[in-house]
Each structure stands twice: as structure tokens, then as C-alpha cells.
Amino acid sequence: MSRIRTAATVTASTVAVLALALGAASPALAAEPTVDGDGIVTIGAAHWQVDEYGLAYGWDAADVYDLSGYIYYPGEFYYDDYLYCGTGIADADVVVESNGDLTITCPEGPFGTTGLTGSLTFRFYAAAESGYLMRQLVTLTNETDAPITLVGDLEAYYYDGYTGTQGGPGFITSSGGDTVGADDTGYIAHNPTGGSVVETEVWAPNGSAPGAGIVGDSHPAISYTADSTFAAGETKYFVNFTNMVIPATQDEEGAAAAFQIAAEQTEEYNDFSGRLVEGLPEGLPVVAWGTTPVAPAPIVPTLANTGSDVSALGVAGLAALLAAAGGLVLIRRTRAAR
């Protein structure tokens, strides 16, 4: 049974009012996120599925596109074996965040025979005009007291799949081609006749791949060529994003409109900030993306020395604030009772 809990920032009153299937979610959502025993995440109008390999599929909750329009195993981490999510959702820790996002954290485990320990964490973002966004965080740690060097490239695989095929219409990379190349940082894939959701994959900010030691090829896969050595005790973090836009209609016009939304959304990845870093620790060094922002220290104002008893003034002010808040609660309860 997966461990399902809610973020600590959700208040008890919010939980009681919403009465969500998993415990809590943002009241701004039209429907609460849920996870079933098969690892199928439902968030808004989107379905995602997590299995032992990590993120398995993405598609529309209405099942309009069936298997033909699915996103298929994006960004699987591989060296001599895959990085696993235990046996699937039953081993994962599931959290509904206070803003309606859903976080699934897989258990740590060995990464093949590399000697490294790895883990997968997924964040499924609440619905937005730019589509349904999913972030995959890969954590790889050398827990030994000696360096580990991988002989060969550490790779993430992206499959030609149900949404679109490289080299054909409906597939475009960050550099404008139709086949993933060495300098690419992502691609958009879909069926231009309206037969699929629109899939966007991004593994680095635009233009940063070569400098980060990332090489794309036509598997399609990407190789982290500059990150094959792990010092004793070192941890490295890797992030990639999957975005899904569901066309409003299953025809060429619907496909074109959804593709345009996906194309406009790629500008978000120019800066590793905002919702892209939500839930990540501050100051976390992420391969290719840089370091997550650190909030500035709060400014504490210096009060002028007027001779007044500042502590007494603070207590009086707090008492007044609490009284006002109590009055507001009373008014709301009175209105609610009518």
C-alpha cells in the first residue's frame, strides 16, 4: 500500500472542507488529484502512470486517444540497467501538496552494478494553460569512500512513441530540426492530424547542452558525458521535464492549436525558477540547470528610539490583530449560518 499523506502546510479546516480522496489538495483545482493501485495519477484532465521503471505513460483522462496518443516512458535513466522505482507505486511515498501538485518519491536502491545508489522523485503539477507538467528528479549518490567512474555514458532514453516519430511531421527539436542532435535540449512531438496529445521533453535550458556535457542523438537519448565520475560521498542531481497538452478537438485544427501552446510553453525553461523549482531544496546543484534559487534573508527593520516600550507596543498590536481576526471569523461564521 503506498503511503499517501498531505503537505504540512494544508490546514485541518481545509482538509475537512475538501474531503479529498487522498487527503488534501488546493481548493483552486476543479478535481482533486488521485492515485490508484495501478499507479495511475489523475490530475485535472490528465492521466499519468508510474510503474517500476518510473514514469510509464501520459495521456488524457477521457481516454480519447487510447494507446495511439500516449506519451511513452520519457527520460528513463540507464547505464548497465534502469533506475527503478521499487516495484512500483506500492513502494512509493505519495504526497498531495498544498497547492494541488502531487509528489511521488520512489525508494532508494542500487543503480545497476555501478555501485551508485539512486532514487526517482516525480512532481505532477496542477492544471495550467501551458498544459500538464511533470518533473523528474534523479538523485545518484556514491555512498562508498572511493571514487566511482562509469565507463561509458550515463544516459536518459526518450522513445519514439505514440505521440510522434523523429524524422516525420509533428516532431521538432529545440534547434528546429526533426531529429534529436548533439546540441538539442528538448523536442515537441505530436500527431499533426489530431491523433495524439502533444508531448514536450526538456532536459536542459535552451542552448546549454554542450556546455553542460550533454549530447543528444537519434535514439533519441541523451548522454551526460561530463558527469561519469562520482567522488567518494558525492551526490549528483538530474532534472528533466515532460509537458502534455491535450488538444480540444481530435483533428488538424485541434492539433495545431495544442502544438502552438506547447511551443509557447518552452520559453519557461529558459530560467530554472518559478514552478520549475517548487519543492526542490534551495541551493541544490542540478546538472545542466544550475543551482536552485536561495531566498534572500528577511530584512529586519530597525525601530527608532522614541522612548516608548516597544515590547508593550508589540503585545498591544498583536492583541488588536487577534481581536480583529476573531471578529472576521465570527462574521464569516455568521454569514455561513444564514
Side-chain angles (χ1 to χ4, degrees):
M1 192 67 167
S2 60
R3 298 176 295 281
I4 302 173
R5 55 192 173 87
T6 60
T9 52
V10 180
T11 65
S13 60
T14 302
V15 173
V17 171
L18 296 177
L20 298 177
L22 295 185
S26 167
L29 286 178
E32 68 276 10
T34 60
V35 182
D36 68 14
D38 293 324
I40 297 178
V41 175
T42 303
I43 186 164
H47 270 340
W48 304 91
Q49 186 171 23
V50 174
D51 66 11
E52 67 269 29
Y53 295 96
L55 181 65
Y57 304 104
W59 73 104
D60 60 304
D63 289 326
V64 170
Y65 294 101
D66 201 337
L67 193 62
S68 63
Y70 279 24
I71 294 171
Y72 178 70
Y73 284 102
E76 284 188 298
F77 258 66
Y78 184 86
Y79 181 66
D80 61 350
D81 199 356
Y82 294 103
L83 181 58
Y84 292 97
C85 183
T87 61
I89 198 66
D91 294 331
D93 189 18
V94 180
V95 178
V96 182
E97 307 293 348
S98 59
N99 67 347
D101 293 352
L102 191 82
T103 301
I104 295 179
T105 303
C106 300
E108 290 185 347
F111 185 26
T113 61
T114 61
L116 301 172
T117 298
S119 66
L120 294 164
T121 301
F122 302 97
R123 189 177 185 100
F124 299 91
Y125 293 79
E129 290 183 359
S130 58
Y132 291 87
L133 185 65
M134 187 283 300
R135 180 183 69 209
Q136 175 179 266
L137 169 67
V138 175
T139 302
L140 298 178
T141 302
N142 177 6
E143 295 183 343
T144 73
D145 56 5
I148 293 176
T149 298
L150 305 182
V151 180
D153 294 337
L154 174 63
E155 292 187 313
Y157 276 84
Y158 295 85
Y159 294 92
D160 276 327
Y162 306 126
T163 58
T165 303
Q166 287 193 90
F171 192 100
I172 186 168
T173 70
S174 60
S175 60
D178 61 7
T179 302
V180 175
D183 294 343
D184 280 311
T185 55
Y187 65 80
I188 303 174
H190 74 301
N191 184 332
T193 66
S196 74
V197 300
V198 181
E199 170 188 0
T200 303
E201 300 296 341
V202 180
W203 48 84
N206 190 34
S208 68
I214 299 177
V215 177
D217 61 39
S218 57
H219 282 311
I222 59 170
S223 298
Y224 293 94
T225 59
D227 291 280
S228 295
T229 297
F230 291 72
E234 181 180 16
T235 298
K236 293 182 180 179
Y237 306 92
F238 306 82
V239 161
N240 65 285
F241 294 94
T242 298
N243 186 69
M244 172 169 53
V245 179
I246 302 171
T249 56
Q250 290 71 57
D251 52 27
E252 292 184 5
E253 290 75 16
F259 177 86
Q260 183 61 34
I261 292 173
E264 293 172 354
Q265 189 264 355
T266 57
E267 295 184 6
E268 181 176 14
Y269 307 109
N270 291 336
D271 297 300
F272 195 41
S273 60
R275 67 173 182 159
L276 299 185
V277 299
E278 285 181 354
L280 294 177
E282 293 183 346
L284 188 74
V286 181
V287 173
W289 295 93
T291 302
T292 54
V294 177
I299 299 175
V300 180
T302 301
L303 298 178
N305 186 5
T306 62
S308 301
D309 187 336
V310 176
S311 60
L313 180 63
V315 171
L318 179 59
L321 179 61
L322 290 174
L328 179 59
V329 170
L330 179 60
I331 291 171
R332 286 179 174 171
R333 288 179 175 172
T334 302
R335 289 177 178 171
R338 290 177 183 174

